[in-house]
Amino acid sequence: MKLSIIGSGYVGLVAGTCFADSGNDVVCVDIDAAKIAGLARGELPIYEPGLDELVKRNVKEGRLSFSTDLTASVARSEVVFIAVGTPEGETGEADLQYVLAAAEQVGRALTQYTVIVDKSTVPVGTAAKVRAAVGAGAKHPFDVVSNPEFLKEGAAIDDFLKPDRVVVGVDSERARKVMAELYAPFVRTENPVLFMDTPSAELTKYAANAMLAVRISFMNDIAALCERVGADVDAVRKGLGSDSRIGYPFLFPGVGYGGSCFPKDVKALITTGREHGLELDLLRAVERINERQKKLLVQKAAKHFGPDLSGKTFAVWGLAFKPRTDDMREAPSVEVIEGLIGKGARIQAHDPVSAHTARRVFGSRVTLCETPYAALEGADALFVVTEWNEFRRPDFDRVKALLKSPVVFDGRNIYDPAAMRARGFTYFGVGRPNPE
Ligand SMILES: NC(=O)c1ccc[n+]([C@@H]2O[C@H](COP(=O)([O-])OP(=O)(O)OC[C@H]3O[C@@H](n4cnc5c(N)ncnc54)[C@H](O)[C@@H]3O)[C@@H](O)[C@H]2O)c1
């Protein structure tokens, strides 16, 4: 099939590339001319494992191309995906201006019957708004389908090629057939395409992210209680996760959830509830716990070193909101670093792939180091904020020798507290018995 993907960011670029890889003829469109020019030169705008190779192969084989010309791409397409950003609006709602602007342009560009797919995360009722926006300028028939995306940055290709499920909200048989054919290569019987009405599809995406955020905040609350009563959250986590009704995923306490999705999607769902006269109390608590959690490491540092951290230098390992991505949107590292700088500290940070993103976020206020060890030189403590694999088994003797004082704040519980103490570190984790 001939496809256009409008918006070539984390979702659009992955979706477009994977659809091309299954044999479709795909144009990825973006309004960001620099992004498209870079892609045309073979330079990816984002770090996503495996994407570079897949893009190059599909470009070479003539199935994938990049353009700023939405009108020309849509004119030749049977299916158009809208995968632009839906950032947080002023009152917590999802800001639909990019989706609706794209939909209007798409409408004017149609030259034949076209299936228009909302891939962006959008609140209940958006399919109807997109239909109206497309319809305003359309001279050809079209259907609007809701097809929220569940990929995880850092494992996006695998998630897209082998999804747990594909959710499609659709109210036309013609569009349903097109979507079934498009996704057939990616699904097996046990990984279904779930067809449903559009409001249910739109809500499913928010409910999934909210559920995952609930689990994280729940564990962060349990971790806080563990610290107060002298329990070890790691033992509690294993005891919980082994219950088949509960399971292990998303039970890790830490420095709070971040990223481009959970924070804004939880807020948007709360706002949708309010617009319909319903206070989603559980989700409000989830947000409060998360805000508290993002401040935890700075509080621990202030307790250990005193409230004034001027004259102190801290090493920070990990800046991306999670491993295997360069995405720092709403990353807990920003809150940790700003909190430490706010108390007068200097920061030397390292992240395996996010230096270019961090430079945009912090400018020259943070020293970005090429290696994890360089960040440790002369530092008063190490803060582990993102659990990249390369931080899990460092040369601890070298870490200790480079640090001015052997203090570690482990925001992801990647080290064994007893082993760290045996190596001579003053070790602070999350929800684990504290040294003081
Ligand atoms: N990032 C994720 O992990 C993820 C996962 C699932 C769902 N989502 C959802 O997918 C959507 C996109 O997220 P993202 O992370 O890919 O965003 P992104 O910011 O990385 O990419 C969006 C792209 O759309 C482009 N754009 C905006 N308006 C345009 C227009 N009129 N025409 C062409 N291009 C336009 C922007 O220039 C940008 O490159 C959001 O709704 C998000 O909530 C994201």
Side-chain angles (χ1 to χ4, degrees), residues 6-12 29-32 35 70 83-86 98 102 105 120-121 149 151 153 205 260-261 264 329:
I6 313 302
S8 305
Y10 286 87
V11 166
V29 177
D30 208 286
I31 39 169
D32 184 337
K35 202 176 258 191
L70 182 145
V84 301
T86 46
Y98 305 105
Q105 279 181 280
S120 302
T121 301
E149 182 49 56
L151 64 77
E153 286 173 21
K205 172 65 192 172
S260 67
C261 293
K264 80 169 171 60
R329 289 178 281 186

Side-chain angles (χ1 to χ4, degrees), residues 216-244:
I216 294 171
S217 276
F218 174 77
M219 279 314 284
N220 281 332
D221 236 6
I222 294 295
L225 188 57
C226 283
E227 289 192 18
R228 282 161 183 74
V229 300
D232 178 351
V233 75
D234 214 40
V236 176
R237 181 183 63 78
K238 286 179 188 144
L240 268 178
S242 53
D243 186 324
S244 61

Side-chain angles (χ1 to χ4, degrees), residues 18 25 30 42 47 82 135 147 151 161 178-179 182 203 215 261-262 335 342 345 356 406 435:
C18 292
D25 174 353
D30 208 286
Y47 172 80
I82 297 178
N147 170 220
L151 64 77
L161 295 177
V178 171
M179 296 304 284
L182 196 56
L203 190 53
R215 285 176 71 104
C261 293
F262 287 7
E335 184 116 355
H356 64 287

Side-chain angles (χ1 to χ4, degrees), residues 82-99:
I82 297 178
V84 301
T86 46
E88 187 182 321
E90 273 169 24
T91 53
E93 81 286 4
D95 182 350
L96 291 178
Q97 61 167 312
Y98 305 105
V99 170

